[in-house]
Amino acid sequence: MEHTKDIPQWDLSPIFFSFQGEDYKKAIEDYKEGLQTLEKKLKDSEAQKKDFSAWLADYLTESDKIDSLGETIGAYTYATYSTDTTNSEYLNNLSKFEEISLQSQSQAVIFQQILRTYSQELSLFFTTFPQFKLYSYVLNHFMEDGKHRMSPEQEELASDMERTGGAAWSRLHEQIISNLSDKETGKTFNEIRNDAYNPDPQVRKTAWEKEIAMLKSMEIPIAASLNNLKGATVTLNKRRNWKKAIHRSLASAHITEKTLNSLIAAMEESLPMWREYLQIKGEILRKTGTTCSTDTKGCAFYDLFAPLTDTTPETSPQTEHKVKMEGWTFQEARDYIIQRFSSFSQDMGNFAKTAFDNNWIDAKVRKGKVGGAYCIDFPAKRVSRVLSNFTGSFSDVTTLAHELGHAYHHHCIAHMDYSLTHYPMTLAETASIFAETIVMKDILSVAEGFDKIKLIEMHLQDSCQVIVDILSRFYFERSVFEKREQQELSAQDFCELMKAAQENSYGEGLSSERHEYMWAVKSHYYSTNLDFYNFPYAFGLLFALGLYAKYQQEGANFPETYKTILQDTGSLSCEDVCKKAGFDIETKDFWLSGIKTFMPELQELKAWAHR
């Protein structure tokens, strides 16, 4: 097909030529030497006592350089591996680097202890070295995190065991999913999942059935992975004095519990609206004969991403099609994204052009490549790369915009000191969803007739996933941790917990045909470092909508404000970043104000369905 031609694979050679290249070998040696340099500085108690401010300034300068190099090497090893998970060379280099970087993790623990010991001298440090004033939040947050550390020896052992424990279980899940394929068609698991967007209802239902069957066939090793990963997290959280896993996630997200509770409360309050949307969609699909579901209420799980079909009689006036939902070529996606980003700011448009023109994107679907999409940064090179699985749908176009939004965030902050470039998932998702919103708002503005209805439904569909499905994932993971503290969990246990989570979130919006194996699909569950990875997406969506509304008010002056906000994300709490943007995120009303922006779209879809 035309839209599958010329889909690129990324070029990582500007990062490192290859694992055998002299540049990669030198980087590994420089990193090892740098770690030894930091080790000596951490052990130099005399220098610390003599002039702590001078010692800290020297240490921060050196550690920024070494840690930046370390993240760049780690990003390269994972990015290479993620495009071919069965390649033993790639896997071995990933594992080797993880082993080398263990020393950095143990050094972080020691540095935390030193900071806490000399915490009273930080005020003098910021006065003596004013160039480090932006480090205030970072260092204080780092010290607070130090309260949840075991002894350096125990942390070192935990990090060492992670390679053959949590990381190994996570990799097992990744390899199982990326190498599953259908014997009849030869389609990979991820290609079958993409059939959820197919206009043919039988294709969607068959894909749903095959997906569940494939997951069920591997439920024992996948369940063992999740059970042991969550078990490890429960054990370590107790030793690190976290009362609950969610508290550790709040610290990672740089938000207060009050903020999270307000967000969740707003999401729950909006459920009737989203359930009505799903019921309307199910009704439309039944009316147009584009569903295989025999249920008379709700939307089947395999129809969640079903495209709407225009059943307007041929005798009726037809609206000229100004947009298309399928059959996008990669070149068309490129040109459109560059154009739309440029309409917001020339800087953002130029950045996107650079990313496309320099092969920063790996979009080709192939066996062994991980599914979904991600953006990964190489701070020592001050660049990023984007992975996606492009099949030609408009959804793939918005996914590209989303990931390039992440990359633009890094572009805006890459010139800063490395320690000031670490932003939490909550604020990371803001940049990506803002970029996605630019694209969606534009295409909605030019669409007419059924084209507009189809786009509205797709926008509601995507946002329903971010609000309702994210809420189901939150419920699921919370219940998994509660149960895992008491007992081992089997595949059947996970299925039961997922059923309950979907009922509590989707409710009557779904028909009886659901997906109790969603726990086996989402890779975010399979990491000891990404607990409750879900709610930052809802945070990002609603905060991005607030920022977009501000852009509509301020116009041409806003892009520079936006860049400043992105630059602040590594040096302030979420609450403080949002206050600078004019929002109070600890109130439920703020989050509801974002959710309410979807109501006009729902009413327009409802009017069309009942015309």
Side-chain angles (χ1 to χ4, degrees):
M1 290 185 178
E2 180 65 27
H3 68 266
T4 63
K5 291 182 180 178
D6 303 320
I7 298 177
Q9 296 176 219
W10 58 27
D11 179 11
L12 296 181
S13 62
I15 313 298
F16 297 113
F17 184 75
S18 71
F19 287 123
Q20 291 77 36
E22 292 302 317
D23 55 350
Y24 180 78
K25 293 177 181 178
K26 183 178 185 303
I28 289 290
E29 290 307 310
D30 287 346
Y31 183 58
K32 288 179 179 179
E33 290 177 11
L35 290 176
Q36 292 308 312
T37 298
L38 293 179
E39 194 76 21
K40 291 177 183 177
K41 292 182 185 298
L42 288 169
K43 291 179 178 179
D44 192 354
S45 57
E46 288 303 315
Q48 295 161 20
K49 291 176 183 178
K50 182 179 179 180
D51 189 342
F52 178 72
S53 293
W55 177 88
L56 182 56
D58 179 53
Y59 184 83
L60 289 175
T61 301
E62 190 68 24
S63 65
D64 269 9
K65 181 176 67 175
I66 299 307
D67 291 343
S68 175
L69 176 60
E71 183 179 335
T72 299
I73 297 171
Y76 177 77
T77 59
Y78 179 75
T80 305
Y81 160 79
S82 69
T83 58
D84 187 359
T85 59
T86 59
N87 188 305
S88 58
E89 179 193 9
Y90 297 169
L91 179 58
N92 287 336
N93 276 283
L94 177 63
S95 181
K96 285 177 183 177
F97 178 73
E98 288 174 347
E99 185 175 1
I100 294 169
S101 65
L102 288 176
Q103 186 176 2
S104 176
Q105 296 174 41
S106 64
Q107 288 175 348
V109 178
I110 297 170
F111 180 53
Q112 280 178 325
Q113 290 183 325
I114 294 172
L115 273 181
R116 293 178 69 186
T117 300
Y118 292 93
S119 60
Q120 297 301 315
E121 296 192 35
L122 282 179
S123 294
L124 177 61
F125 167 69
F126 293 125
T127 301
T128 308
F129 297 93
Q131 67 268 35
F132 287 102
K133 280 187 177 179
L134 285 177
Y135 281 63
S136 178
Y137 174 77
V138 174
L139 294 179
N140 280 294
H141 187 271
F142 194 58
M143 283 194 295
E144 187 65 26
D145 181 66
K147 296 177 181 178
H148 299 281
R149 292 283 189 178
M150 301 179 289
S151 69
E153 295 77 18
Q154 288 174 318
E155 287 292 349
E156 184 175 356
L157 177 60
S159 296
D160 203 7
M161 293 298 293
E162 167 73 3
R163 292 186 304 111
T164 54
W169 286 113
S170 177
R171 201 163 294 136
L172 173 62
H173 170 262
E174 200 169 56
Q175 290 175 339
I176 289 173
I177 295 298
S178 63
N179 287 283
L180 278 176
S181 61
D182 178 42
K183 293 180 181 179
E184 291 181 24
T185 62
K187 283 185 175 181
T188 66
F189 180 79
N190 291 317
E191 286 175 323
I192 287 174
R193 279 185 59 73
N194 280 334
D195 282 338
Y197 298 90
N198 197 290
D200 187 329
Q202 189 57 59
V203 170
R204 294 196 303 271
K205 184 171 184 178
T206 299
W208 169 74
E209 292 170 339
K210 286 185 175 182
E211 178 182 331
I212 291 177
M214 291 165 75
L215 293 171
K216 186 174 178 59
S217 72
M218 299 300 292
E219 67 177 358
I220 292 177
I222 296 177
S225 296
L226 188 55
N227 175 69
N228 288 309
L229 279 163
K230 296 309 182 189
T233 299
V234 167
T235 299
L236 289 171
N237 279 350
K238 287 180 180 178
R239 291 182 175 272
R240 289 169 174 154
N241 299 313
W242 292 109
K243 290 183 179 179
K244 295 181 180 179
I246 190 63
H247 294 139
R248 180 184 173 211
S249 297
L250 290 171
S252 296
H254 295 196
I255 64 172
T256 64
E257 192 164 8
K258 185 177 181 181
T259 293
L260 177 62
N261 289 341
S262 296
L263 172 62
I264 296 298
M267 293 165 71
E268 291 174 333
E269 191 169 317
S270 74
L271 287 176
M273 180 186 78
W274 295 110
R275 290 170 180 173
E276 182 182 11
Y277 152 67
L278 291 170
Q279 290 166 350
I280 291 170
K281 178 162 188 175
E283 179 184 336
I284 292 171
L285 295 176
R286 285 187 289 275
K287 280 184 178 179
T288 56
T290 52
T291 179
C292 292
S293 177
T294 57
D295 284 6
T296 57
K297 290 185 178 180
C299 182
F301 198 93
Y302 51 79
D303 286 334
L304 285 175
F305 305 109
L308 300 189
T309 301
D310 189 4
T311 56
T312 304
E314 292 184 6
T315 54
S316 300
Q318 298 293 310
T319 303
E320 179 185 356
H321 291 282
K322 295 186 177 181
V323 299
K324 64 178 180 178
M325 303 304 295
E326 303 292 337
W328 284 74
T329 65
F330 193 82
Q331 181 67 32
E332 288 172 334
R334 170 199 179 278
D335 294 344
Y336 180 67
I337 289 172
I338 292 173
Q339 179 190 57
R340 295 330 309 156
F341 281 13
S342 297
S343 72
F344 170 69
S345 80
Q346 196 56 54
D347 182 62
M348 195 170 180
N350 290 341
F351 169 78
K353 186 176 187 303
T354 298
F356 282 108
D357 290 352
N358 290 278
N359 281 355
W360 289 7
I361 301 168
D362 191 303
K364 188 174 183 179
V365 179
R366 55 197 185 276
K367 190 172 182 179
K369 178 182 175 181
V370 298
Y374 70 73
C375 174
I376 196 164
D377 302 327
F378 302 85
K381 302 290 185 176
R382 297 186 178 182
V383 295
S384 302
R385 291 292 186 271
V386 164
L387 178 143
S388 70
N389 286 274
F390 189 85
T391 61
S393 70
F394 182 69
S395 178
D396 291 337
V397 178
T398 59
T399 295
L400 274 176
H402 179 104
E403 299 305 334
L404 284 167
H406 282 304
Y408 182 68
H409 191 171
H410 182 258
H411 168 73
C412 291
I413 210 169
H415 67 283
M416 302 178 72
D417 291 355
Y418 177 73
S419 293
L420 304 177
T421 64
H422 295 150
Y423 38 81
M425 280 299 305
T426 38
L427 296 174
E429 289 310 316
T430 296
S432 56
I433 295 174
F434 185 86
E436 199 175 332
T437 301
I438 291 172
V439 169
M440 183 56 69
K441 291 291 185 181
D442 170 74
I443 206 163
L444 279 171
S445 71
V446 299
E448 298 176 353
F450 178 69
D451 285 340
K452 186 176 183 182
I453 291 298
K454 197 169 184 179
L455 283 164
I456 283 175
E457 192 282 319
M458 192 179 86
H459 191 217
L460 289 170
Q461 171 192 126
D462 290 344
S463 302
C464 180
Q465 286 294 294
V466 175
I467 303 296
V468 183
D469 196 67
I470 288 297
L471 192 58
S472 76
R473 297 186 214 178
F474 178 80
Y475 288 154
F476 170 75
E477 196 160 6
R478 184 173 63 184
S479 64
V480 166
F481 277 118
E482 290 171 354
K483 293 283 186 182
R484 188 62 184 84
E485 288 179 357
Q486 307 300 324
Q487 64 186 61
E488 301 283 327
L489 298 176
S490 65
Q492 187 58 40
D493 293 324
F494 290 128
C495 285
E496 291 299 322
L497 294 176
M498 183 55 74
K499 283 181 186 177
Q502 289 180 354
E503 176 58 31
N504 290 333
S505 53
Y506 284 100
E508 65 270 20
L510 282 182
S511 71
S512 61
E513 295 172 294
R514 303 185 177 189
H515 197 323
E516 64 185 24
Y517 279 90
M518 281 306 293
W519 58 269
V521 178
K522 300 299 180 183
S523 60
H524 302 149
Y525 297 137
Y526 295 82
S527 171
T528 54
N529 297 316
L530 295 177
D531 304 328
F532 293 100
Y533 186 88
N534 35 58
F535 67 79
Y537 285 95
F539 183 110
L541 170 67
L542 299 177
F543 184 43
L545 288 174
L547 289 176
Y548 193 84
K550 203 169 185 68
Y551 161 54
Q552 290 179 310
Q553 294 169 6
E554 297 184 6
N557 294 325
F558 184 75
E560 282 303 313
T561 301
Y562 180 63
K563 285 184 70 173
T564 300
I565 290 170
L566 295 184
Q567 289 169 0
D568 286 340
T569 53
S571 53
L572 295 173
S573 69
C574 285
E575 284 78 18
D576 287 340
V577 170
C578 295
K579 279 179 185 176
K580 289 185 73 171
F583 306 128
D584 181 0
I585 63 173
E586 290 191 321
T587 65
K588 184 175 71 170
D589 287 345
F590 165 73
W591 302 110
L592 285 174
S593 67
I595 292 172
K596 287 175 182 175
T597 63
F598 295 105
M599 186 56 75
E601 293 181 12
L602 177 59
Q603 293 305 320
E604 193 165 351
L605 179 67
K606 186 176 181 180
W608 182 84
H610 297 159
R611 68 197 187 286

